[in-house]
Amino acid sequence: MDPLLARAVRCGVPHGGATLCYGPTVEAIHGFDERVDLASVQHCTEVIALFIAERCGPWAV
C-alpha cells in the first residue's frame, strides 16, 4: 500500500473523517529517483480547479 494512502486511512477514517487521496502519476515516490508524469500533473490541476470553481464559484479560480 502507498504510504500516503496508509496514512490517510489511519488518520482520517477511524476518526470519522472523510479521506481522499488524489494526485498525479508518480514512480519511485519519495525515492532518490522520484519521477512524475507531467501530463497527469496538468490533468490534476484542471480537476482541482474545476472542483474549486464548482464549489466556490468561478471567481475563486
Side-chain angles (χ1 to χ4, degrees), residues 1-22:
M1 180 182 285
D2 178 20
L4 293 177
L5 178 58
R7 183 181 306 147
V9 169
R10 185 175 65 246
C11 296
V13 175
H15 303 290
T19 303
L20 172 68
C21 293
Y22 183 76

Side-chain angles (χ1 to χ4, degrees), residues 36-56:
V36 64
D37 178 60
L38 293 180
S40 71
V41 172
Q42 181 178 1
H43 177 75
C44 288
T45 303
E46 291 170 1
V47 168
I48 292 168
L50 290 172
F51 174 80
I52 292 170
E54 183 178 301
R55 297 284 296 183
C56 303

